[in-house]
Amino acid sequence: MLSLAYLIAITAEAMTGALAAGRRNMDLFGVSLVAFITALGGGTVRDILLGNFPVNWTQHPQYIYLTIGAGLCTIFIAKIVHKLQQLFLVLDAIGLITFTLIGCNVGLTLGYEPAVVVIAGIITGIFGGILRDVLCNRPPEILHRELYASVALVVALMYLQMRKLGINEDTTLLASFSVGLLLRMSALKWQWQLPIFTYTPERWQDDNNV
Amino acid sequence: MLSLAYLIAITAEAMTGALAAGRRNMDLFGVSLVAFITALGGGTVRDILLGNFPVNWTQHPQYIYLTIGAGLCTIFIAKIVHKLQQLFLVLDAIGLITFTLIGCNVGLTLGYEPAVVVIAGIITGIFGGILRDVLCNRPPEILHRELYASVALVVALMYLQMRKLGINEDTTLLASFSVGLLLRMSALKWQWQLPIFTYTPERWQDDNNV
Amino acid sequence: MLSLAYLIAITAEAMTGALAAGRRNMDLFGVSLVAFITALGGGTVRDILLGNFPVNWTQHPQYIYLTIGAGLCTIFIAKIVHKLQQLFLVLDAIGLITFTLIGCNVGLTLGYEPAVVVIAGIITGIFGGILRDVLCNRPPEILHRELYASVALVVALMYLQMRKLGINEDTTLLASFSVGLLLRMSALKWQWQLPIFTYTPERWQDDNNV
């Protein structure tokens, strides 16, 4: 199940990358690159941070073809994307949660501390989107929207706690997946947000980052 | 002494990260993430560049809690931060210099060439701030202000030279720390800057990065 | 021949980095840093992604001096740079192609899959420029200009195919180098571009990256 969810996840994330590239009027190569990095960037950053070489996608070239293909296909369906928005949001949520669970699993397998495992999960979940936004020169959107990264946090904590309690892996995955999806969908429906921190210093302070 | 300075350093840097996130109206998660990356990003980039796995903070989860905690606390004291600006600038300078000294030490221990050791020091000192600015979608501020990165360079060169001369490590640390702090504080007081390079090409050149 | 081309390449790329820093009014340190990262960043990202430690430039401190020196020299010749624009474009093309060929060679030597070898080549070729643009807070230019990254793709595919056919390495290098240079120069002369993907969603869609 997680494998299938992973394929859906990288496809959906590649498509959000392609759309972001389209907003910046990138060419076909730019679209492919941003799609690839959005889909596989989170796992790449995780593998590098955890010293987990070789990096995952280098052993699975089919992921390269899938994400670049999904990015390029997005160009042709861009006009109908807004009609599919609800579907898209579900796929994106599946992606977020799947990535997070895989990231936690990798961290745990490598024997890292619980706090590092949680961070490995969150980074896998959200960093593709952050790299996408950096490449497209916009502030990372996921850091000030409806609960998104927080969903990754909840999923990671729940997965870790259930594993610690010795609960069967399949049950753990299913439970944390469901809770995560429910939480993200509810956040979208009722626009749940974390509190926003707004800081507008006087001009003279601007000079020294304070 | 360096351990205490390090804790002060990551706390102060986490707080500058939180303030930068606040200027972008990020939510609590965004504030935590930017604080964490600002504080620990420089050392992370250094460890990855030098192939020094496992990355330092993954072995010290307490640094994760400290930097995220400092980031979140900043929200509550944001209103009085401007009254503490002088203190903040001292803490930030301590951070810059401590990070640089630790970075040089890591590079030296791993047996890298002197030029690489200096770069390891500088990267540890300044890259957290650069990642903060990239995440917050603004040009890296430290590259066009009063002497900042240059302080890291002076500290790194001095540390390396004194170690090469066989001077006792404690003396070396104390001396380069003091010179760095004095230099940074003087730069702030008298607004010492490196020359600025301003390049404004004709429009037609803009097309090809020249 | 490839060694000489590499020295030309990192020099030319360092200069484009310095000019980009100049457009952002950076100080001498910022100019040095952006020059260094533009010239050596592509190879660094490749080495990290492929787990190829120690990272190449850490074993060749002369590259550090060369790129920083080239960056600083650029300040003095900035005023005549526009007269040298044609030369510059040739040097930049040599850089792109040389980097790509070296990247493919590294990937191949490490035994990676063909698709990963091609990506290693492209990343070596273009990522210095992408990091330059991210540091200077502008959208990556190479992703929406005359054929640039696509040249890296063609060169990488050709190199890989010729090696696979058992053709002598020197011949392979010379042939893919020439084809790449011809392609890039033609693209500049006749403004060949890949199709651009422009996506301008309705405002309400903006909220969820779709």
Side-chain angles (χ1 to χ4, degrees):
Chain A
M1 191 202 80
L2 208 59
S3 297
L4 177 64
Y6 182 70
L7 295 180
I8 294 173
I10 59 177
T11 306
E13 298 308 323
M15 294 175 81
T16 71
L19 293 175
R23 292 180 193 190
R24 290 294 183 208
N25 305 316
M26 289 192 188
D27 66 22
L28 296 192
F29 195 99
V31 170
S32 308
L33 185 79
V34 176
F36 171 72
I37 291 180
T38 306
L40 300 175
T44 303
V45 172
R46 174 206 64 220
D47 282 341
I48 292 172
L49 277 178
L50 302 185
N52 185 36
F53 296 101
V55 167
N56 183 54
W57 59 264
T58 65
Q59 307 303 300
H60 301 280
Q62 64 272 31
Y63 298 159
I64 304 173
Y65 302 126
L66 176 61
T67 53
I68 292 178
L72 293 176
C73 286
T74 307
I75 296 174
F76 300 102
I77 62 159
K79 280 186 185 136
I80 57 162
V81 158
H82 71 271
K83 293 182 189 156
L84 303 171
Q85 204 193 18
Q86 292 307 313
L87 173 64
F88 228 100
L89 289 173
V90 177
L91 296 180
D92 181 57
I94 291 175
L96 169 67
I97 299 162
T98 308
F99 283 171
T100 303
L101 289 169
I102 291 173
C104 288
N105 189 268
V106 171
L108 214 51
T109 307
L110 294 171
Y112 279 99
E113 301 261 2
V116 180
V117 170
V118 170
I119 290 183
I122 294 172
I123 282 176
T124 313
I126 70 172
F127 238 80
I130 290 181
L131 290 176
R132 174 196 63 211
D133 292 344
V134 167
L135 278 177
C136 294
N137 197 27
R138 57 185 194 185
E141 295 203 358
I142 62 164
L143 302 175
H144 44 120
R145 292 196 294 150
E146 295 93 356
L147 297 185
Y148 188 92
S150 326
V151 173
L153 175 63
V154 169
V155 167
L157 288 173
M158 191 169 158
Y159 173 83
L160 204 68
Q161 191 58 39
M162 287 180 77
R163 288 294 298 268
K164 202 171 151 194
L165 294 172
I167 295 169
N168 167 286
E169 173 140 28
D170 283 355
T171 314
T172 303
L173 285 176
L174 198 64
S176 29
F177 191 94
S178 312
V179 168
L181 196 57
L182 196 69
L183 181 59
R184 172 69 181 143
M185 289 294 114
S186 309
L188 282 170
K189 186 162 176 58
W190 293 293
Q191 310 212 333
W192 293 347
Q193 289 194 315
L194 285 183
I196 299 288
F197 171 39
T198 299
Y199 178 62
T200 46
E202 319 289 318
R203 203 194 59 76
W204 64 271
Q205 294 176 277
D206 238 40
D207 297 339
N208 289 297
N209 286 321
V210 176
Chain B
M1 190 203 78
L2 209 59
S3 298
L4 178 64
Y6 182 70
L7 295 180
I8 294 173
I10 58 178
T11 306
E13 298 308 323
M15 294 175 80
T16 71
L19 294 175
R23 291 180 193 191
R24 290 293 183 207
N25 305 315
M26 290 193 188
D27 66 21
L28 296 192
F29 196 99
V31 170
S32 308
L33 185 79
V34 177
F36 171 72
I37 291 179
T38 306
L40 301 175
T44 304
V45 172
R46 174 206 62 220
D47 282 341
I48 292 172
L49 278 179
L50 301 185
N52 185 35
F53 296 101
V55 168
N56 183 53
W57 61 264
T58 65
Q59 308 303 300
H60 302 279
Q62 65 272 28
Y63 298 159
I64 304 174
Y65 302 126
L66 176 61
T67 53
I68 292 178
L72 293 176
C73 286
T74 306
I75 296 174
F76 300 101
I77 62 158
K79 281 188 184 134
I80 57 161
V81 158
H82 71 270
K83 293 183 187 154
L84 302 171
Q85 203 195 18
Q86 292 307 312
L87 172 64
F88 228 100
L89 289 174
V90 177
L91 296 180
D92 181 57
I94 291 174
L96 169 68
I97 299 161
T98 307
F99 283 171
T100 303
L101 289 170
I102 291 173
C104 287
N105 190 268
V106 171
L108 214 52
T109 307
L110 294 171
Y112 279 99
E113 301 260 3
V116 179
V117 170
V118 169
I119 289 182
I122 294 171
I123 282 175
T124 313
I126 69 172
F127 238 81
I130 290 180
L131 290 176
R132 174 196 63 210
D133 292 344
V134 167
L135 278 177
C136 293
N137 197 27
R138 57 185 193 184
E141 296 204 359
I142 62 164
L143 302 176
H144 44 119
R145 292 196 294 149
E146 295 93 355
L147 298 185
Y148 188 92
S150 327
V151 173
L153 175 62
V154 169
V155 167
L157 288 175
M158 190 169 158
Y159 173 82
L160 203 68
Q161 190 59 38
M162 287 180 77
R163 288 294 297 271
K164 201 172 152 194
L165 293 172
I167 294 168
N168 167 286
E169 172 141 28
D170 283 357
T171 314
T172 302
L173 285 175
L174 198 63
S176 29
F177 190 94
S178 311
V179 167
L181 196 57
L182 196 69
L183 181 59
R184 172 69 181 143
M185 289 294 115
S186 309
L188 282 171
K189 187 163 175 57
W190 292 292
Q191 310 210 335
W192 292 347
Q193 288 194 314
L194 284 184
I196 299 288
F197 171 40
T198 300
Y199 178 62
T200 45
E202 319 291 318
R203 203 194 58 77
W204 65 272
Q205 293 176 278
D206 238 42
D207 297 339
N208 289 297
N209 285 321
V210 177
Chain C
M1 190 202 79
L2 209 59
S3 297
L4 178 64
Y6 182 70
L7 296 180
I8 294 173
I10 58 177
T11 305
E13 297 308 322
M15 294 176 81
T16 71
L19 294 175
R23 291 180 192 192
R24 289 294 184 207
N25 305 316
M26 290 192 186
D27 66 21
L28 296 192
F29 196 98
V31 171
S32 308
L33 185 79
V34 177
F36 171 72
I37 291 179
T38 306
L40 300 175
T44 303
V45 172
R46 175 207 63 220
D47 282 342
I48 292 172
L49 278 178
L50 301 186
N52 185 34
F53 297 101
V55 167
N56 182 53
W57 59 263
T58 65
Q59 308 302 301
H60 302 280
Q62 64 273 30
Y63 299 160
I64 304 173
Y65 301 126
L66 177 61
T67 52
I68 292 178
L72 293 177
C73 286
T74 306
I75 296 174
F76 299 103
I77 62 158
K79 281 186 185 135
I80 56 162
V81 158
H82 71 270
K83 293 182 188 156
L84 303 171
Q85 204 195 15
Q86 292 308 314
L87 172 64
F88 228 98
L89 289 174
V90 177
L91 296 180
D92 181 58
I94 291 175
L96 169 68
I97 299 161
T98 308
F99 284 172
T100 303
L101 289 170
I102 291 173
C104 287
N105 189 268
V106 171
L108 214 51
T109 306
L110 294 171
Y112 279 99
E113 300 261 2
V116 179
V117 170
V118 170
I119 290 183
I122 294 172
I123 282 175
T124 314
I126 69 172
F127 238 81
I130 290 180
L131 290 176
R132 174 196 63 210
D133 292 344
V134 167
L135 278 177
C136 293
N137 197 27
R138 58 185 191 184
E141 295 204 0
I142 62 163
L143 302 176
H144 44 119
R145 290 196 297 147
E146 295 92 356
L147 298 186
Y148 189 92
S150 326
V151 174
L153 175 62
V154 169
V155 167
L157 288 174
M158 190 169 158
Y159 173 83
L160 204 68
Q161 191 58 39
M162 288 181 76
R163 287 296 298 270
K164 202 173 151 193
L165 293 172
I167 295 169
N168 167 285
E169 172 140 28
D170 283 356
T171 314
T172 303
L173 285 175
L174 198 63
S176 28
F177 190 94
S178 311
V179 167
L181 195 58
L182 195 69
L183 181 60
R184 172 69 180 144
M185 289 294 114
S186 309
L188 282 170
K189 186 162 176 57
W190 292 291
Q191 309 212 336
W192 292 346
Q193 288 193 315
L194 284 184
I196 299 288
F197 171 38
T198 300
Y199 178 62
T200 45
E202 318 290 317
R203 202 193 60 75
W204 64 271
Q205 293 176 280
D206 237 42
D207 296 340
N208 289 298
N209 285 321
V210 177

